[in-house]
């Protein structure tokens, strides 16, 4: 009898260990207590079970997600004195078996603090408990109308939510609900975002360094207000020089830059491996001819000079560069809206990208027209932007020692032909962190950056896009496997799979000279891991640019 008794006891012990917290609480509001959110009060909780939930595809942004089963918990909270009402929505995989023991906070995009369903769906499909927030305002990626009160004064409370506050609130709420629902804390917690979501990830690392175990932040809008002002630079150059260059012409120059610099990484693959080494000069094409709208156009010195100045990026009349430029080979169609007329003249149209200046700086002034903006007006608005709004919406503080000391990891990637946010902004930030915290090798212990040649904003382009960077971050956080490369892939025009291993910054890709150029095994990473000389303290990002 003694041996069977021991076996029964052993089986019971194993069963208890393998079925620890096997169930969840009911998916209803009464199952949850108000999460503790510093500086905020919970207004209401609503919980609803969702089964077989589908999210349709968003071309170029989201693959279709189907048959999701989760507990949808919506919490509204407010910040006393702010008169705001902020939604934090958390999706919890419906059963304990569907949950991967992890929590994911998700970022926004454009002028939206969060993307709600578009970010929650993929996270839950991957097994995460996940949260998103609207920051207390409309989820509109292209409008900043919510930043103004009815009297056109700035709503600073909503801007604070957008900048940082709602990000921390979302994490507090999401982690609390996850623990309540599954009756255990998430083993690990992560951030996942690109563009605005990338900026938010950096802001979390800087301002709330001990809230998460890992941050995945791609193509970050580190200096968001200044970035939006930089969108106006091409128009200003063309207006002030009196020379309008059409989108067709800009695209031609981009193709010529690719033609000249593609081979510099050792292979003609339709991608410039390291834009920093591309010495393309548009003035070398003066006299050549191209066709736009059926009209033959000859490249003049004036046209070439405009292209050069636009690619230099915002530069003061005294020659100081105040924001990184887009690399040659990058499309300018996002910023330029100029057409070629039947008589060969060009018309400069409003590109519609002056949301920040028109809405926040000028309070929707009817007198404002970006195509008529003067140099004096532009630099006046730029100064106002940095002075009044950088502190609340920027994410470029290089002091990451608290994040480092918390044992957290920051994984970031940026496409080198990003046509919205110049990848150089991320390069420069990384260099500042190195100066602050002991050099490249020391920073690599907790923060690694990967550049994606030929990739546009958060994806697209002809280059290989990171395949599963969040999984790479998890391996770094949970297994201590620091990544030297980042697996990426795309398909070329023929539909063939193209794979690459993106290089850890500052290394760059180089074709090995043999093998299929479409395969990652035919490429290596070149460069040095030696730390650069640490610059004197006190030099700022803006000084450096």
């Amino acid at each position: 009898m003694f041996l069977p008794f021991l076996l029964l006891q052993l089986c019971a012990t194993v069963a208890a260990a393998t079925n620890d917290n096997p169930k969840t609480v009911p998916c209803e509001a009464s199952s949850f207590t108000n999460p503790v959110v510093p500086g905020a009060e919970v207004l209401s909780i609503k919980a609803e079970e969702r089964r077989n939930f589908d999210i349709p595809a968003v071309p170029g942004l989201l693959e279709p997600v189907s048959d999701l089963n989760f507990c949808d918990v919506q919490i509204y909270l407010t910040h006393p004195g702010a008169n705001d009402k902020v939604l934090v929505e958390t999706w919890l995989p419906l059963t304990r078996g569907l949950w991967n023991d992890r929590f994911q906070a998700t970022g926004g995009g454009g002028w939206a603090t969060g993307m709600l369903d578009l970010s929650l769906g993929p996270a839950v499909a991957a097994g995460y408990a996940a949260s998103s927030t609207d920051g207390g305002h409309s989820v509109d990626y292209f409008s900043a109308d919510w930043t103004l009160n009815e009297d056109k004064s700035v709503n600073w409370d909503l801007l604070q939510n957008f900048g940082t506050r709602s990000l921390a609130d979302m994490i507090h709420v999401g982690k609390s609900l996850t623990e309540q629902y599954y009756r255990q804390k998430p083993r690990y917690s992560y951030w996942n975002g690109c563009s605005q979501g990338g900026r938010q990830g950096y802001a979390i690392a800087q301002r709330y360094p001990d809230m998460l175990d890992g941050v995945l932040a791609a193509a970050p809008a580190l200096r968001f207000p200044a970035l939006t002002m930089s969108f106006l630079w091409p128009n200003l150059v063309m207006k002030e020089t009196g020379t309008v260059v059409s989108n067709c012409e800009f695209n031609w120059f981009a193709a010529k830059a690719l033609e000249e610099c593609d081979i510099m990484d050792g292979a003609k693959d339709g991608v410039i491996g390291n834009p920093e080494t591309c010495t393309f000069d548009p003035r070398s094409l003066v006299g050549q001819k191209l066709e736009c709208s059926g009209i033959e156009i000859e490249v003049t010195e004036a046209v070439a000079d405009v292209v050069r100045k636009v690619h230099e990026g915002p530069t003061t009349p005294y020659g100081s560069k105040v924001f990184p430029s887009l690399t040659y080979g990058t499309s300018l169609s996002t910023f330029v809206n100029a057409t070629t007329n039947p008589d060969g003249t060009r018309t400069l149209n409003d590109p519609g990208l002056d949301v920040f200046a028109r809405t926040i700086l000028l309070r929707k002034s009817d007198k404002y027209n970006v195509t008529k903006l003067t140099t004096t007006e532009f630099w006046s608005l730029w100064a106002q932007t940095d002075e009044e709004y950088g502190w609340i919406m920027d994410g470029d503080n290089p002091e990451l020692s608290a994040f480092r000391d918390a044992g957290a990891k920051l994984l970031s990637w940026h496409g080198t032909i990003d046509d919205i946010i110049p990848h150089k902004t991320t390069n420069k930030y990384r260099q500042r962190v190195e100066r602050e915290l002991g050099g490249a090798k020391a920073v690599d212990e907790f923060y690694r950056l990967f550049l994606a040649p030929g990739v546009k904003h958060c994806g697209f382009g002809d280059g290989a896009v990171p395949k599963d960077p969040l999984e790479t971050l998890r391996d770094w956080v949970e297994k201590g496997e620091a990544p030297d490369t980042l697996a990426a892939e795309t398909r070329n025009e023929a539909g063939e799979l193209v794979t690459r291993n993106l290089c850890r910054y500052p290394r760059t890709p180089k074709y090995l000279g043999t093998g299929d150029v479409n395969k990652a095994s035919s490429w290596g990473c070149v460069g040095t891991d030696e730390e650069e000389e640490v610059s004197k303290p006190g030099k700022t990002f803006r000084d450096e640019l």
Side-chain angles (χ1 to χ4, degrees):
M1 292 292 293
F2 184 66
L3 183 58
F5 176 76
L6 285 178
L7 289 174
L8 288 173
Q9 287 290 92
L10 178 61
C11 290
T13 301
V14 172
T18 56
N19 290 284
D20 185 32
N21 298 325
K23 297 182 179 179
T24 60
V25 300
C27 181
E28 52 191 41
S30 59
S31 299
F32 299 95
T33 58
N34 289 352
V36 176
V37 184
E41 297 176 357
V42 174
L43 298 174
S44 65
I45 299 180
K46 176 184 176 182
E48 181 179 359
E49 185 176 302
R50 298 184 183 273
R51 290 182 178 272
N52 304 315
F53 189 84
D54 298 335
I55 300 177
V58 178
L61 177 64
L62 176 69
E63 295 294 325
V65 180
S66 59
D67 297 326
L68 296 180
N69 298 302
F70 58 93
C71 179
D72 180 2
V73 186
Q74 298 183 12
I75 284 186
Y76 281 95
L77 52 82
T78 186
H79 303 91
N83 193 33
D84 59 354
K85 186 178 181 181
V86 181
L87 168 66
V88 176
E89 187 164 8
T90 303
W91 290 8
L92 304 161
L94 196 57
T95 66
R96 182 65 183 79
L98 293 174
W99 183 44
N100 66 8
D101 292 347
R102 297 166 178 84
F103 169 73
Q104 182 182 145
T106 64
W111 287 94
T113 301
M115 300 172 68
L116 301 180
D117 290 18
L118 295 183
S119 57
L120 293 174
V124 170
Y128 291 87
S131 293
S132 182
T133 179
D134 68 358
H137 59 86
S138 60
V139 180
D140 190 327
Y141 304 107
F142 305 107
S143 172
D145 288 355
W146 57 265
T147 62
L148 300 183
N149 297 309
E150 290 185 5
D151 63 358
K152 292 189 177 182
S153 61
V154 174
N155 190 322
W156 289 101
D157 289 303
L158 289 186
L159 274 183
Q160 184 179 358
N161 289 350
F162 176 75
T164 55
R165 183 164 59 185
S166 284
L167 314 180
D169 292 348
M170 170 178 58
I171 296 171
H172 281 298
V173 169
K175 291 171 74 171
S176 174
L177 294 178
T178 300
E179 181 177 0
Q180 291 184 55
Y181 189 68
Y182 300 111
R183 306 179 195 181
Q184 72 174 64
K185 294 181 180 181
R187 289 173 54 207
Y188 298 98
S189 297
Y190 295 95
W191 178 271
N192 189 1
C194 187
S195 192
Q196 184 61 252
R199 178 202 67 83
Q200 293 168 333
Y202 275 82
I204 288 290
Q206 294 158 19
R207 303 198 186 202
Y208 310 102
D210 58 353
M211 294 192 76
L212 299 169
D213 299 296
V215 170
L216 174 62
L222 295 176
R223 293 177 59 201
F224 182 61
L227 169 69
T228 61
M229 284 299 299
S230 76
F231 295 165
L232 310 183
W233 177 247
N235 273 51
L236 180 68
V237 170
M238 288 188 278
K239 179 186 176 298
E240 292 299 285
T241 60
T243 300
V244 176
V245 179
S246 69
N247 291 63
C248 172
E249 291 167 279
F250 274 116
N251 289 338
W252 183 81
F253 277 100
K256 288 296 183 180
L258 175 61
E259 183 181 304
E260 178 177 318
C261 297
D262 185 355
I263 194 63
M264 297 182 71
D265 58 11
K268 277 274 188 180
D269 61 344
V271 170
I272 299 175
N274 181 11
E276 302 298 325
T277 61
C278 180
T279 57
F280 173 76
D281 185 346
R283 292 170 295 189
S284 66
L285 302 178
V286 171
Q288 292 195 27
K289 296 179 180 180
L290 65 149
E291 184 177 301
C292 289
S293 300
I295 299 173
E296 186 177 77
I297 297 173
E298 182 175 327
V299 177
T300 64
E301 290 186 6
V303 166
D305 200 47
V306 165
V307 174
R308 179 184 61 81
K309 288 180 178 179
V310 166
H311 276 286
E312 283 182 348
T315 306
T316 70
Y318 303 101
S320 298
K321 295 184 179 181
V322 298
F323 201 80
S325 59
L326 294 172
T327 56
Y328 283 113
T330 302
S331 171
L332 291 171
S333 297
T334 303
F335 304 133
V336 177
N337 185 10
T339 53
T340 305
N341 301 316
D343 62 357
T345 61
R346 288 84 153 177
T347 299
L348 181 61
N349 306 298
D350 187 343
L353 292 169
D354 53 339
V355 173
F356 184 83
R358 184 179 67 251
T359 305
I360 301 179
L361 300 181
L362 297 168
R363 311 291 198 271
K364 295 185 178 180
S365 172
D366 295 333
K367 299 178 181 179
Y368 173 71
N369 185 334
V370 65
T371 63
K372 297 181 180 179
L373 192 67
T374 66
T375 297
T376 300
E377 291 169 337
F378 176 82
W379 290 114
S380 177
L381 292 173
W382 189 286
Q384 182 186 355
T385 298
D386 259 356
E387 182 67 24
E388 296 182 8
Y389 299 96
W391 67 276
I392 200 170
M393 288 195 283
D394 282 349
D396 68 334
N397 183 351
E399 176 45 70
L400 291 176
S401 59
F403 183 80
R404 174 200 62 197
D405 295 345
K409 308 299 182 187
L410 170 57
L411 180 65
S412 192
W413 69 269
H414 207 143
T416 62
I417 60 167
D418 191 322
D419 50 349
I420 295 178
I421 304 174
H423 79 276
K424 293 179 184 179
T425 59
T426 310
N427 291 13
K428 295 294 185 182
Y429 174 79
R430 160 71 196 215
Q431 292 164 13
R432 292 174 64 215
V433 176
E434 291 175 10
R435 291 199 297 270
E436 288 280 343
L437 299 179
K441 291 182 180 178
V443 172
D444 271 344
E445 293 297 316
F446 67 93
Y447 167 28
R448 295 197 174 195
L449 169 64
F450 297 84
L451 298 182
V455 175
K456 295 184 178 181
H457 189 57
C458 295
F460 312 102
D462 294 323
V465 180
K467 186 177 179 181
D468 194 351
L470 185 57
E471 183 69 22
T472 300
L473 176 61
R474 278 178 49 176
D475 288 342
W476 190 10
V477 169
E478 301 173 21
K479 302 177 183 178
E481 298 176 359
D484 269 332
T485 58
L486 198 59
E489 64 180 34
T490 189
R491 290 195 177 273
N492 59 24
E493 293 182 353
E496 301 169 319
L497 181 66
V498 177
T499 60
R500 289 286 187 275
N501 290 322
L502 304 184
C503 302
R504 171 171 54 87
Y505 179 83
R507 293 185 169 192
T508 57
K510 188 73 174 179
Y511 178 57
L512 299 177
T514 60
D516 187 346
V517 295
N518 290 333
K519 293 184 178 180
S521 57
S522 302
W523 294 77
C525 295
V526 296
T528 177
D529 288 334
E530 294 181 3
E531 299 174 14
E532 296 180 359
E533 181 181 354
V534 178
S535 300
K536 295 180 180 179
K539 190 175 183 181
T540 68
F541 186 27
R542 292 157 180 79
D543 293 335
E544 189 175 58
L545 293 175

